[in-house]
Amino acid sequence: MTAVDPLATTLRSHLGGALRLAHNGQRVTLGGWVHKSRDLGGQLFIDLRDREGLVQLAFNPHWTAADVIAKAVGIGLECAVLVDGVVAPRPDGLKNPEMATGEIEVRVSDIRVVGPATTPAIPVALDKEAKRPSEDLRLRHRVLDLRRPELQRNLVLRHRLMQVTRNFLSAQGYLELETPILTKPTPEGARDFLVPSRMHAGEFFALPQSPQIYKQLFMCAGFDRYFQIARCFRDEDLRADRQLEFTQIDIEASFITREDIIAMAEGLMQALWAEAGIAVQTPFPRMSYAEAMERYGCDRPDLRYGLEIRDLTAAFRGSESGIIQSAIAAGGRVRGIVVPGAATWSRKQVDELEAIAKGAGAGGLVRLKLAEGKLEGPLAKFLPAEATSSLGLAEGDLLLAVAGADRISSPALDRVRQECAARLNLADPNRREFLWVLDFPMFDKDPETGALAAVHHPFTSPNTDDMASRPDAPETWRAFAYDCVLNGTELGGGSIRTSDPAVQARMFQLLGIGEPAEQERRFGFLLEGLRAGAPPHGGIAFGFDRIAMILSNAESLRDVIAFPKTTAARALFEGAPSQVPAQDLDELHICVQE
Amino acid sequence: MTAVDPLATTLRSHLGGALRLAHNGQRVTLGGWVHKSRDLGGQLFIDLRDREGLVQLAFNPHWTAADVIAKAVGIGLECAVLVDGVVAPRPDGLKNPEMATGEIEVRVSDIRVVGPATTPAIPVALDKEAKRPSEDLRLRHRVLDLRRPELQRNLVLRHRLMQVTRNFLSAQGYLELETPILTKPTPEGARDFLVPSRMHAGEFFALPQSPQIYKQLFMCAGFDRYFQIARCFRDEDLRADRQLEFTQIDIEASFITREDIIAMAEGLMQALWAEAGIAVQTPFPRMSYAEAMERYGCDRPDLRYGLEIRDLTAAFRGSESGIIQSAIAAGGRVRGIVVPGAATWSRKQVDELEAIAKGAGAGGLVRLKLAEGKLEGPLAKFLPAEATSSLGLAEGDLLLAVAGADRISSPALDRVRQECAARLNLADPNRREFLWVLDFPMFDKDPETGALAAVHHPFTSPNTDDMASRPDAPETWRAFAYDCVLNGTELGGGSIRTSDPAVQARMFQLLGIGEPAEQERRFGFLLEGLRAGAPPHGGIAFGFDRIAMILSNAESLRDVIAFPKTTAARALFEGAPSQVPAQDLDELHICVQE
């Protein structure tokens, strides 16, 4: 006798996928789905699938009544069944070492269909590599697709990651506090989902883009430490890696500095990766935003490979190229990356890289290569002889450079760098380069209008030293903001918040919301919280779907969300959104506008 | 040296409310709010409040610089401050045994305002019994109200109850699986919140009233055991104890019977009550719906007291009262309760009870009392002598009865019974009478039209024996549904679901949704799940807000929800719902209808 299966119920004694040789001789009742059926004429084998995996059911006249075999032969794939039988070792030679239950079979005495199934619209393939129907078809038949072991594993891991998150944060005194889903429309309203209500004609609730203001209010109210695995909403075009609704690990704490948040967040990442069986070293390296932009052209650099951006302005200063001269004269620089061994890339291959650079806004891509000791490329002849050595090219290297303002060259070189790394297969999927990017700028200044916009959000605290030393140059202020990056992907970000209501009002003013009345109308409930006496506070939010995706080795967020929306923002399985009776709209005091 | 405070940060060494005599002599830095300030001329005491409670700050020229005292005197109530000082025992005679920190004080060397506060609009009273401003005013200034220790305690307990729930269910193999908030509008659409989207003109998502269908689909997909602490939404008039959005513990399992769900649910209740320090015995008693209605007139009887309903028809059969005779002749009964010692109630008091009975639909309330051995009351003279003894009245008892159909007398006597118990103070708040009510009817039949409606919901399985033995009398079928009741309050309810798509289609037909096309349009995605091969499955949902309210001894759901809506369905603090710019509505392809 082995121990009782912890998932035993009044209807089943064991999970079939959990049976082992240790169960030999036990009489069992199993529940599951007919995964495969092989009729060998008189003998029948069914692979029964349940939450734990597959087990082989053996029907044989030696132990199964003829009418039961006859009944079993007729059971279609994916029917839900209950099965009585006895666990027995498989005959030698018929053991399957690739199956966890491969040493045993269940000799069936009875089988009953408890959930009849129509012919499955899509197969429930076990193999991750198996050819699968189109994603739209799988989303349309989501219940069948969710039976695939891969999706089952993903969602089980997601469950475990949620429990780890909560246990980790609870143990540190963080309180899970729920925030409303029906909230006030915000000024960033363009992305708000609005919700009419039958009780309030002409007025709307909004679904939260994040619980940002609420978590700050919890700090003002003295709860000290907050977290939530929070659903957030954005009504916007979906790129491949976005969803209308998404889940974030939302955290805020009081009487803290950036260092407290970073230490807590590193511990949380360590715990999450450990749950997926991966050891992570802390502390994570750090880099300022300025350095990240200078070296990688990007605020979330992938540090698994080099290809760092270099300032080549000095080398090109003597160049006779008019384009480069005018770029430098306009205050720009020449920056580029050296790609080892890429001198052999064809003109077409380099043209593709230039197209990428142009797609990111660059005017063109300077190309130079050192082949057989000779500098080659359209600009080679314009370069002064003494410049050649300072370019840092080794034999066989390809230099790709952009001349112009940093705001042009950075994104272009970032894209080019990533494409080169992909071509050269430099990003080892088994390496994990966590990184903190710190000291983001507080504001982004519109080059045309001069208007300031918050890079993080309006509630982020500017660097107080910057604010004191350069009070009249807010565009130069750094913010107390930080992002947690892994292999070029932003996992999460946060900041220390403004806790002084006067400073907050000043920030609104700088952002063009100068009128106190408008500040009250749009942000009154945050300002009231701050005016009630706000502690120093800050926090962070992690994209939980993305973390689950990374730790599942999934290719898409849709593979870690049970019922996702498509990139066309539709729920194919449910058939949502859908039209509703006119009367329902009347009750909500709204009408559809053509 | 004591251990490091687990909530220490780079800004504070300890929580002030956690300091004890064991910290004597320690240099501490605290963060918190100025709760009270007493200037005794030269000496100043401030009560500092933080998450753990209060601690006394002592400012005295012996250890505090004069400028620090001068600064401290000017700090207003509810300002957030950081404080440096040394823990010292209070002088004898000044200890306060009522405060957890009453043996010590912190001798302050410096204090800095880090979060200035305006004069609080409402006081942050410590005492639960303190006179409080109106609830609307407190909701308007929710951040200040949330600082009250009572609300802090409630939300901390709520946090703990959530963790207990998840740990309990996870340990039993239940998987926390998230369901969408943007779902398909349902046929019970009258209460759906509808959500337009800029991407889909004329089409709407709906916020879920519950994840009912999704959790059944998880079972169809083979996840076997599901739970979620799920947000649900109902756009309907709010009674005092409802919210537009509410939280339920949502559970579903496969290959189970009612007994599995009941055993799991009893364990969960036990774990939740234990977290609040209350031992609960299991198993809970059980009662059929029929018995509950017969004995208490109600499907969620409060078993802390008797006052059971008796069938008095036999005793009244010989009565000469025309009203009673015609009620009996129409197939009705005379049912009533005997209230011990209530013979002394005044006519006015009994009239009030009759008003309650009438308010619940009864035509009147028969009243009889036994005073000094004599039966008194308007009907006494009509009763045959032999009936008197069979009424079961003891000296001083009051009999209150209703003649008519059970569907009239049951709700009336339920209300009368509860009112009598309240008057007599029979419901001991320290007693906990858990109860399962089982075997609910499957359908409710409209007495006028004869139309059937689902008592639980359309996905509940009818009792299969009833269905087989009385196929043509669905109004007599019981359902495999169950409610968990505590002291007259429904904590949760659930059912075994229909897993056969043919039976489900039949149920829709009985509910008046006969057209296959309409079934598909309205319930297609559930039916597709069932047709994929559904296991026997069922579940339960508990009202988490209500459980948190009961275990907090709170008077209102609003006292266990951080940012609740009022009974007028408004978020007073945030100011939601609110009007939005016409342009936002244009983008959503909707307009406001006057």
Side-chain angles (χ1 to χ4, degrees):
Chain A
M1 276 286 296
T2 53
V4 172
D5 191 312
L7 295 186
T9 68
T10 54
L11 291 188
R12 74 175 171 213
S13 64
H14 294 78
L15 285 172
L19 294 176
R20 298 291 182 273
L21 208 47
H23 296 88
N24 182 20
Q26 277 196 50
R27 180 158 290 286
V28 297
T29 303
L30 309 178
W33 285 263
V34 173
H35 182 71
K36 206 153 91 178
S37 184
R38 279 159 295 151
D39 182 1
L40 306 182
Q43 256 207 99
L44 173 73
F45 294 98
I46 286 179
D47 283 349
L48 183 77
R49 196 187 62 239
D50 64 21
R51 166 175 169 168
E52 288 296 320
L54 295 182
V55 68
Q56 176 166 294
L57 307 179
F59 299 75
N60 188 301
H62 285 108
W63 54 75
T64 317
D67 62 324
V68 172
I69 297 183
K71 179 169 68 172
V73 166
I75 300 178
L77 292 184
E78 297 304 324
C79 285
V81 294
L82 280 168
V83 180
D84 299 317
V86 174
V87 180
R90 293 200 196 180
D92 285 338
L94 295 178
K95 296 188 195 304
N96 182 348
E98 310 227 318
M99 268 174 96
T101 60
E103 292 198 281
I104 56 105
E105 61 187 15
V106 174
R107 298 185 171 178
V108 176
S109 53
D110 196 15
I111 185 167
R112 301 172 294 291
V113 172
V114 288
T118 52
T119 306
I122 58 171
V124 178
L126 285 196
D127 188 352
K128 189 172 174 173
E129 309 307 323
K131 193 166 174 304
R132 281 177 282 159
S134 75
E135 190 182 22
D136 271 8
L137 195 63
R138 286 185 291 118
L139 287 172
R140 171 68 193 80
H141 300 288
R142 186 66 169 174
V143 165
L144 285 168
D145 205 38
L146 282 172
R147 289 181 182 172
R148 277 195 297 127
E150 184 191 345
L151 289 187
Q152 297 253 329
R153 270 195 306 272
N154 291 356
L155 291 177
V156 170
L157 178 62
R158 186 178 171 118
H159 155 79
R160 285 163 40 208
L161 296 174
M162 282 197 279
Q163 312 315 313
V164 165
T165 299
R166 294 209 192 80
N167 291 337
F168 178 90
L169 291 169
S170 297
Q172 297 198 13
Y174 285 84
L175 301 171
E176 186 172 5
L177 300 170
E178 290 150 284
T179 51
I181 297 291
L182 295 170
T183 68
K184 184 182 166 71
T186 61
E188 310 97 279
R191 295 156 151 196
D192 272 352
F193 277 103
L194 295 181
V195 185
S197 163
R198 59 204 79 223
M199 294 183 65
H200 307 294
E203 293 181 297
F204 295 82
F205 291 104
L207 305 183
Q209 294 182 37
S210 90
Q212 179 61 38
I213 290 182
Y214 286 106
K215 68 178 177 175
Q216 292 190 237
L217 294 172
F218 282 134
M219 298 304 102
C220 295
F223 285 97
D224 200 66
R225 296 187 178 192
Y226 146 92
F227 80 97
Q228 195 181 191
I229 300 185
R231 201 72 62 86
C232 306
F233 304 85
R234 271 183 211 160
D235 188 9
E236 59 185 354
D237 287 350
L238 301 178
R239 282 169 283 154
D241 61 347
R242 281 283 184 90
Q243 286 280 312
L244 294 180
E245 50 184 309
F246 55 98
T247 302
Q248 70 186 33
I249 304 174
D250 199 44
I251 302 174
E252 195 84 0
S254 294
F255 294 110
I256 47 80
T257 64
R258 183 179 81 182
E259 295 309 314
D260 297 294
I261 300 294
I262 284 182
M264 173 276 299
E266 288 177 347
L268 177 58
M269 293 303 104
Q270 202 167 41
L272 288 170
W273 263 252
E275 184 66 20
I278 301 163
V280 163
Q281 292 282 324
T282 60
F284 301 159
R286 302 174 178 203
M287 191 180 286
S288 72
Y289 171 88
E291 183 182 351
M293 295 305 288
E294 181 64 25
R295 290 170 60 190
Y296 303 97
C298 161
D299 60 5
R300 44 180 173 80
D302 189 336
L303 299 191
R304 287 176 296 174
Y305 51 89
L307 303 184
E308 287 188 30
I309 299 173
R310 307 174 187 187
D311 184 349
L312 307 167
T313 315
F316 279 87
R317 198 176 292 281
S319 145
E320 291 164 27
S321 152
I323 292 170
I324 287 181
Q325 284 310 326
S326 60
I328 294 175
R333 299 193 288 166
V334 182
R335 298 162 73 209
I337 60 174
V338 172
V339 190
T344 56
W345 285 356
S346 69
R347 184 189 175 115
K348 178 160 167 288
Q349 284 175 305
V350 180
D351 284 350
E352 284 164 7
L353 291 171
E354 180 158 39
I356 287 171
K358 285 180 167 175
L365 194 63
V366 176
R367 51 185 86 179
L368 285 169
K369 62 185 175 186
L370 194 63
E372 297 174 14
K374 210 171 135 246
L375 205 57
E376 292 177 16
L379 284 188
K381 62 174 188 288
F382 295 121
L383 277 180
E386 71 277 13
T388 313
S389 62
S390 65
L391 290 174
L393 286 184
E395 175 64 24
D397 287 357
L398 172 68
L399 172 75
L400 300 167
V402 173
D406 291 355
R407 68 166 199 285
I408 303 292
S409 58
S410 284
L413 289 170
D414 168 38
R415 300 278 302 278
V416 169
R417 175 177 173 264
Q418 289 190 49
E419 174 60 22
C420 291
R423 287 187 185 179
L424 296 169
N425 217 5
L426 296 180
D428 178 354
N430 294 315
R431 258 180 79 187
R432 283 164 202 94
E433 295 291 343
F434 285 90
L435 172 72
W436 287 106
V437 177
L438 308 174
D439 297 326
F440 279 75
M442 181 68 214
F443 298 108
D444 201 16
K445 189 173 181 171
D446 188 307
E448 318 265 299
T449 65
L452 299 180
V455 167
H456 195 66
H457 56 55
F459 320 119
T460 295
S461 172
N463 181 304
T464 40
D465 291 342
D466 292 355
M467 198 165 42
S469 63
R470 299 186 298 277
D472 298 324
E475 71 279 5
T476 70
W477 298 350
R478 290 167 298 172
F480 287 139
Y482 32 82
D483 274 2
C484 184
V485 173
L486 168 64
N487 293 353
T489 297
E490 184 197 325
L491 297 179
S495 66
I496 303 302
R497 326 299 181 185
T498 292
S499 46
D500 185 329
V503 173
Q504 187 62 64
R506 169 105 201 268
M507 300 306 291
F508 286 140
Q509 199 164 33
L510 289 169
L511 290 166
I513 313 165
E515 284 294 316
E518 195 185 356
Q519 289 179 12
E520 288 303 320
R521 189 177 59 76
R522 292 168 62 169
F523 298 104
F525 75 109
L526 171 70
L527 288 170
E528 170 159 349
L530 296 182
R531 283 193 296 255
H537 65 290
I540 195 163
F542 284 97
F544 183 66
D545 303 308
R546 171 142 299 127
I547 288 174
M549 181 180 96
I550 291 170
L551 292 177
S552 302
N553 290 314
E555 284 155 30
S556 152
L557 293 176
R558 295 180 294 281
D559 286 347
V560 294
I561 295 172
F563 290 95
K565 308 289 186 289
T566 63
T567 49
R570 288 196 176 273
L572 294 187
F573 183 71
E574 302 96 308
S578 63
Q579 296 189 332
V580 298
Q583 186 198 329
D584 289 2
L585 299 183
D586 290 348
E587 285 184 22
L588 294 172
H589 321 284
I590 60 170
C591 49
V592 169
Q593 223 178 50
E594 298 310 320
Chain B
M1 277 287 295
T2 52
V4 173
D5 191 313
L7 295 186
T9 67
T10 53
L11 292 187
R12 75 176 171 213
S13 64
H14 294 78
L15 284 172
L19 294 176
R20 298 292 182 272
L21 208 48
H23 296 89
N24 182 20
Q26 277 196 49
R27 181 158 290 285
V28 296
T29 303
L30 308 178
W33 285 264
V34 173
H35 183 71
K36 205 155 91 180
S37 183
R38 278 157 296 149
D39 183 0
L40 306 181
Q43 257 207 101
L44 172 74
F45 294 98
I46 287 179
D47 283 349
L48 183 77
R49 196 188 61 241
D50 63 23
R51 165 174 169 169
E52 288 296 320
L54 294 180
V55 67
Q56 177 167 295
L57 307 178
F59 299 76
N60 187 302
H62 285 108
W63 55 75
T64 318
D67 63 323
V68 172
I69 297 182
K71 180 170 67 172
V73 167
I75 300 178
L77 292 186
E78 296 304 323
C79 285
V81 295
L82 279 169
V83 180
D84 298 318
V86 174
V87 179
R90 294 200 197 180
D92 285 338
L94 295 179
K95 296 188 196 305
N96 182 348
E98 311 225 320
M99 270 174 93
T101 60
E103 292 199 280
I104 57 104
E105 62 186 14
V106 174
R107 298 184 171 177
V108 177
S109 54
D110 197 15
I111 185 168
R112 301 170 296 290
V113 173
V114 288
T118 52
T119 306
I122 58 171
V124 178
L126 285 198
D127 188 352
K128 188 171 174 173
E129 309 306 322
K131 192 166 174 305
R132 280 177 282 158
S134 75
E135 189 181 24
D136 271 8
L137 196 63
R138 287 185 291 117
L139 287 172
R140 171 69 193 79
H141 301 288
R142 187 66 169 174
V143 165
L144 286 168
D145 205 37
L146 282 173
R147 288 181 182 172
R148 277 195 297 126
E150 184 192 345
L151 289 188
Q152 297 253 328
R153 270 194 307 271
N154 291 356
L155 290 177
V156 170
L157 178 61
R158 186 178 171 117
H159 155 79
R160 284 164 40 208
L161 296 174
M162 282 197 279
Q163 313 314 314
V164 165
T165 299
R166 294 209 192 78
N167 292 336
F168 178 89
L169 292 169
S170 296
Q172 296 197 15
Y174 285 84
L175 300 171
E176 186 173 5
L177 300 170
E178 291 149 283
T179 51
I181 296 292
L182 295 170
T183 68
K184 183 181 168 70
T186 62
E188 311 95 280
R191 294 156 151 195
D192 271 352
F193 277 103
L194 294 182
V195 185
S197 162
R198 60 203 79 224
M199 293 182 67
H200 307 293
E203 292 181 296
F204 295 82
F205 292 104
L207 305 183
Q209 293 181 39
S210 90
Q212 179 63 37
I213 290 181
Y214 287 106
K215 69 178 177 174
Q216 293 190 236
L217 294 172
F218 282 134
M219 298 305 102
C220 296
F223 286 98
D224 201 65
R225 296 187 177 192
Y226 146 92
F227 81 97
Q228 195 180 193
I229 300 184
R231 200 73 62 84
C232 306
F233 303 85
R234 273 184 209 159
D235 187 10
E236 61 185 354
D237 286 350
L238 301 178
R239 282 170 280 153
D241 61 346
R242 281 283 183 91
Q243 286 279 311
L244 294 181
E245 51 183 310
F246 55 98
T247 302
Q248 69 186 33
I249 304 174
D250 199 43
I251 303 174
E252 194 85 1
S254 294
F255 295 109
I256 47 80
T257 65
R258 183 179 81 182
E259 295 310 314
D260 297 293
I261 301 294
I262 285 182
M264 173 276 299
E266 288 176 347
L268 176 59
M269 294 301 104
Q270 203 168 40
L272 289 170
W273 263 251
E275 185 66 22
I278 301 163
V280 164
Q281 292 282 324
T282 60
F284 301 160
R286 301 172 179 206
M287 191 179 288
S288 71
Y289 172 87
E291 182 181 352
M293 295 305 288
E294 181 64 23
R295 290 170 61 190
Y296 303 98
C298 160
D299 61 5
R300 45 180 171 80
D302 190 336
L303 298 190
R304 286 175 298 174
Y305 51 88
L307 303 184
E308 286 188 29
I309 299 173
R310 306 174 188 186
D311 184 349
L312 307 167
T313 315
F316 278 88
R317 198 176 293 281
S319 146
E320 292 164 25
S321 153
I323 291 170
I324 286 180
Q325 284 310 327
S326 59
I328 294 175
R333 299 192 287 166
V334 183
R335 298 163 73 209
I337 61 174
V338 173
V339 190
T344 57
W345 286 355
S346 69
R347 181 184 179 119
K348 179 161 165 286
Q349 284 175 305
V350 181
D351 284 349
E352 284 164 6
L353 291 171
E354 180 158 38
I356 287 171
K358 285 181 167 173
L365 194 64
V366 176
R367 50 186 87 180
L368 285 169
K369 63 185 175 186
L370 195 62
E372 297 175 11
K374 212 171 134 249
L375 205 57
E376 292 178 16
L379 284 189
K381 62 175 186 291
F382 295 122
L383 277 180
E386 71 278 11
T388 314
S389 61
S390 66
L391 290 173
L393 286 182
E395 175 64 23
D397 286 357
L398 172 68
L399 172 75
L400 300 167
V402 173
D406 291 355
R407 67 164 202 286
I408 304 291
S409 58
S410 284
L413 289 169
D414 169 39
R415 298 279 302 278
V416 169
R417 175 177 174 266
Q418 289 191 49
E419 173 62 20
C420 292
R423 287 186 186 178
L424 297 169
N425 216 5
L426 296 180
D428 178 353
N430 294 316
R431 258 180 79 186
R432 281 164 205 95
E433 295 292 342
F434 285 89
L435 173 72
W436 287 106
V437 178
L438 308 175
D439 297 325
F440 279 75
M442 181 69 215
F443 297 108
D444 202 17
K445 188 174 182 170
D446 188 308
E448 317 266 299
T449 65
L452 299 180
V455 167
H456 194 65
H457 56 56
F459 320 119
T460 296
S461 172
N463 182 304
T464 38
D465 291 341
D466 291 356
M467 199 164 41
S469 62
R470 299 186 298 277
D472 298 324
E475 70 279 6
T476 70
W477 297 349
R478 290 165 299 171
F480 287 140
Y482 32 81
D483 274 2
C484 184
V485 174
L486 169 65
N487 293 353
T489 297
E490 184 198 325
L491 297 179
S495 65
I496 302 301
R497 326 299 180 185
T498 291
S499 46
D500 185 329
V503 173
Q504 186 62 64
R506 169 106 202 267
M507 300 307 290
F508 287 139
Q509 199 164 32
L510 289 168
L511 291 165
I513 313 164
E515 284 295 317
E518 194 185 355
Q519 290 179 11
E520 287 303 320
R521 190 177 59 76
R522 292 169 65 170
F523 298 104
F525 74 110
L526 172 70
L527 288 170
E528 168 158 351
L530 296 182
R531 283 193 295 254
H537 65 290
I540 196 164
F542 285 98
F544 183 67
D545 303 309
R546 170 141 300 126
I547 287 174
M549 182 181 96
I550 291 170
L551 291 176
S552 303
N553 291 313
E555 284 155 30
S556 154
L557 292 177
R558 295 181 294 281
D559 286 346
V560 294
I561 295 172
F563 290 94
K565 309 289 187 287
T566 63
T567 49
R570 288 194 176 273
L572 294 186
F573 184 72
E574 303 96 308
S578 63
Q579 295 189 334
V580 297
Q583 186 199 328
D584 289 2
L585 299 184
D586 289 348
E587 286 185 20
L588 294 173
H589 321 284
I590 59 170
C591 49
V592 170
Q593 220 178 50
E594 297 311 321

